[in-house]
Amino acid sequence: MSSASPSTTHDTEEARDRLRRARRVLALTGAGISAESGVPTFRGPQGLWRDFRPEDLATPQAFSRDPLLVWEWYESRRERMGSVQPNAGHHALARLEERVPEFLLATQNVDGLHALAGSRSLVELHGCLWRVRCTGCGAVREEREPFAALPPRCRCSGLLRPDVVWFGEELPRAPLEQAFAAARAADVVLVVGTSALVYPAAAVPEAALEEGAFVVEVNPERTPLSAACGVSLRGRAAEVLPLLVGGGA
Ligand code: OAD
């Protein structure tokens, strides 16, 4: 077993071979897979959490204190993300889904790029930036257009909020359960572009390791998960995933 040292051709070949033979695969993605589409990550030198404090913007308390401030931040992210496109990493995962008999993609991302790339067997663990939820009547709807006025309101006059998971909130139960079930059943788990720091999502590959799955990590940096992985490939998702999956443009 190789581990966290710079990845080698041998590691890449082993990961490719494991994926080729696997019948049950779970992919877990984080902000890093969208980095090459131009979506900023949360941590690291250019990360969103360098300039903003999560507790000012991404907590229920922040929203009750100042819904306008929170909405201005989410609208600026929605505006920025409105024009971004999936990259070769997203497309490679959509191709992988087509050839693996049992495949699930669990993403922590709220940018909607996996769906845009054609992934169908997809669960969004942290919600989606393109949906809103009414804090009054609870209705959820897709909303891609910018709002005429902030903070936006529902037809029932309740305050709308982004349908994303904030710090201190529970993750939606069904997607999380699906991710854990897929992790426990998987032959191979592919962990891409996540710092593996935020729980409970970070516990998903841990559950897979406990059940003996082969875990492949793709990340330019080392993470707390790296040492336990079957192979940890140091590289960018948009470059490494097409090598692992093949068949790309
Ligand atoms: P982070 O910003 O914590 O981590 C991004 C990871 O992507 C880092 O480990 C980078 O090394 C890696 N990375 C950067 N560029 C990459 C590339 N081109 N290819 C592959 N990997 C690359 O983002 P997440 O792990 O997704 O939660 O963060 C988890 C959660 O914390 C987010 O969903 C969000 C955040 O606070 C909520 O908002 C609830």
Side-chain angles (χ1 to χ4, degrees):
M1 176 164 114
S2 50
S3 70
S5 52
S7 49
T8 61
T9 311
H10 174 267
D11 287 338
T12 308
E13 273 170 15
E14 171 155 28
R16 192 166 51 206
D17 189 50
R18 294 270 187 170
L19 280 171
R20 200 164 35 222
R21 287 188 283 121
R23 302 198 55 77
R24 296 187 197 88
V25 173
L26 168 71
L28 173 71
T29 62
I33 194 168
S34 296
E36 280 144 284
S37 295
V39 180
T41 60
F42 292 93
R43 297 168 183 83
Q46 265 91 48
L48 288 173
W49 296 150
R50 296 272 307 200
D51 295 330
F52 302 102
R53 295 192 322 151
E55 57 270 35
D56 290 340
L57 295 165
T59 61
Q61 293 79 3
F63 190 67
S64 356
R65 201 165 48 231
D66 196 343
L68 178 60
L69 176 75
V70 172
W71 260 114
E72 281 171 348
W73 188 65
Y74 275 94
E75 274 298 77
S76 74
R77 285 178 68 197
R78 282 159 52 95
E79 194 183 324
R80 204 190 305 182
M81 281 187 205
S83 55
V84 304
Q85 293 300 319
N87 63 52
H90 299 99
H91 289 298
L93 291 182
R95 288 199 301 283
L96 185 61
E97 172 177 345
E98 281 169 17
R99 67 161 213 234
V100 173
E102 282 181 45
F103 179 88
L104 183 71
L105 170 52
T107 188
Q108 298 166 85
N109 300 344
V110 295
D111 55 29
L113 289 180
H114 284 302
L116 213 52
S119 287
R120 292 289 165 258
S121 183
L122 170 67
V123 289
E124 293 172 322
L125 300 175
H126 291 168
C128 179
L129 215 48
W130 307 109
R131 283 194 312 261
V132 290
R133 187 163 87 228
C134 178
T135 56
C137 69
V140 174
R141 67 164 202 260
E142 192 174 304
E143 189 54 76
R144 292 195 166 255
E145 297 301 316
F147 290 100
L150 294 180
R153 294 208 166 255
C154 181
R155 289 177 200 96
C156 79
S157 88
L159 203 52
L160 290 173
R161 58 165 283 178
D163 191 26
V164 299
V165 176
W166 283 328
F167 288 98
E169 292 185 320
E170 302 235 326
L171 272 65
R173 184 187 290 248
L176 189 65
E177 281 174 3
Q178 252 182 288
F180 274 107
R184 291 196 193 96
D187 309 316
V188 177
V189 174
L190 193 51
V191 182
V192 185
T194 176
S195 55
L197 289 171
V198 177
Y199 284 82
V204 170
E206 293 172 359
L209 284 165
E210 275 167 27
E211 295 298 323
F214 190 82
V215 177
V216 176
E217 178 178 60
V218 178
N219 197 313
E221 307 285 337
R222 198 185 156 84
T223 75
L225 188 69
S226 301
C229 290
V231 295
S232 184
L233 301 173
R234 288 284 157 276
R236 297 175 188 189
E239 287 161 10
V240 176
L241 289 178
L243 293 178
L244 299 186
V245 175

